[in-house]
Amino acid sequence: KYEGVSSGDDMGLQQSILSEDMSMQRSCMSQDMGLQRTSKSEEMGLQRSILSEVMASQRSCKSEEMNPHKSSLKGTSARRSESRKATINEAAEELRPELQRLAAAKGSESYRRSAKPRRSSVRIVVPALGEIEKMLAGVKSLAALDDADRAAVAKMCVVRQFDAQAEIMRYGDVSSDLFVVMSGACRVSVPEYKNTLHPGDCFNEASILKGEVAAEAMYEAAPDTDVQLLSVNIKDMES
């Protein structure tokens, strides 16, 4: 077959065969690499799909676990509310006979005769200046005043007369007045009855140091007598 072929031709033929062989190898390698890439891409896509399904399933399970918990909390709150209502209803039923008894008693003629109406009328009275000065002289909080100063303060004073059971001052009322009982009696409650003030006793003394102060108790006239109160505004004394 190769008779008469020179050595130069022989080398060219070998090179041609070798080139074709290398080209075939490259082609096969390219096909193999393409197949590998395709399989890897398909495998990654499948993994992503599976992972997405797993995550969706986990979220669904968590949601189902949380919803029953919320429902149980709502149920517990509702049961507590029903329990409180039942307790209140039971207490109301226990108090009902006592309330009915009190209502019947208030409707009776004897109760209406014995009950004293709460009055709140107040009026200004004008006693003699000498009487006011004498009352001020017995107030320990004003013991430092000399006769001239006491006479000047007496002119600033206001005397009010409250009917029996009248409300004089409520707890928390703000005032800059010093009050002195001139006659009658004044009840003190915080909030239950504490004591009774008599002529010469005073209250709201903190206004001497602080100016305006809030009442720390409730003051009212005694139920069986009117009360006269002398008051002087501390701000007026300072000016």
Side-chain angles (χ1 to χ4, degrees):
K1 178 180 179 179
Y2 296 104
E3 290 180 359
V5 179
S6 63
S7 59
D9 294 335
D10 189 14
M11 292 179 64
L13 182 59
Q14 290 178 357
Q15 290 176 354
S16 177
I17 294 170
L18 181 60
S19 177
E20 290 178 1
D21 192 14
M22 293 177 66
S23 296
M24 290 178 67
Q25 289 179 358
R26 290 194 194 95
S27 177
C28 291
M29 290 176 66
S30 297
Q31 291 177 0
D32 291 340
M33 292 177 68
L35 290 173
Q36 289 177 359
R37 293 193 191 97
T38 301
S39 61
K40 285 183 179 180
S41 177
E42 292 176 352
E43 183 179 358
M44 291 177 66
L46 182 61
Q47 289 178 352
R48 292 193 191 97
S49 177
I50 293 172
L51 182 61
S52 298
E53 292 179 359
V54 171
M55 292 177 67
S57 177
Q58 289 177 349
R59 285 195 294 268
S60 177
C61 291
K62 288 182 179 179
S63 177
E64 291 177 357
E65 290 175 357
M66 291 175 67
N67 288 335
H69 181 61
K70 292 180 180 178
S71 299
S72 64
L73 287 176
K74 291 180 180 178
T76 302
S77 177
R79 286 192 296 273
R80 288 178 179 173
S81 178
E82 292 176 359
S83 177
R84 285 195 294 269
K85 289 180 181 178
T87 302
I88 292 172
N89 291 334
E90 291 176 1
E93 290 299 326
E94 292 178 359
L95 292 173
R96 191 183 301 277
E98 183 66 18
L99 293 175
Q100 291 175 348
R101 187 187 66 78
L102 291 174
K106 286 185 178 181
S108 64
E109 185 66 25
S110 60
Y111 181 89
R112 287 196 294 269
R113 285 198 303 266
S114 62
K116 293 183 178 180
R118 184 181 180 88
R119 297 179 293 175
S120 59
S121 59
V122 57
R123 55 191 176 276
I124 302 294
V125 295
V126 185
L129 285 176
E131 187 178 351
I132 295 176
E133 292 178 18
K134 183 179 178 180
M135 184 62 62
L136 292 176
V139 178
K140 295 180 180 180
S141 302
L142 303 177
L145 297 177
D146 56 23
D147 293 341
D149 290 337
R150 191 177 300 112
V153 172
K155 295 178 181 179
M156 302 176 189
C157 291
V158 177
V159 180
R160 297 178 178 87
Q161 180 165 322
F162 295 84
D163 291 338
Q165 289 188 304
E167 185 179 82
I168 298 170
M169 181 179 290
R170 293 181 180 180
Y171 178 86
D173 284 353
V174 178
S175 174
S176 58
D177 288 356
L178 171 67
F179 296 92
V180 183
V181 180
M182 289 193 68
S183 65
C186 177
R187 289 170 54 89
V188 183
S189 305
V190 283
E192 301 298 330
Y193 170 75
K194 183 179 179 182
N195 63 344
T196 301
L197 302 179
H198 299 282
D201 295 332
C202 57
F203 59 93
N204 213 44
E205 300 99 318
S207 61
I208 297 176
L209 299 176
K210 300 180 181 179
E212 288 188 348
V213 293
E216 297 180 351
M218 186 180 77
Y219 301 88
E220 60 183 355
D224 55 352
T225 180
D226 295 348
V227 59
Q228 284 188 359
L229 285 181
L230 179 154
S231 64
V232 57
N233 190 286
I234 301 301
K235 293 181 178 180
D236 293 340
M237 290 178 59
E238 293 175 350
S239 60

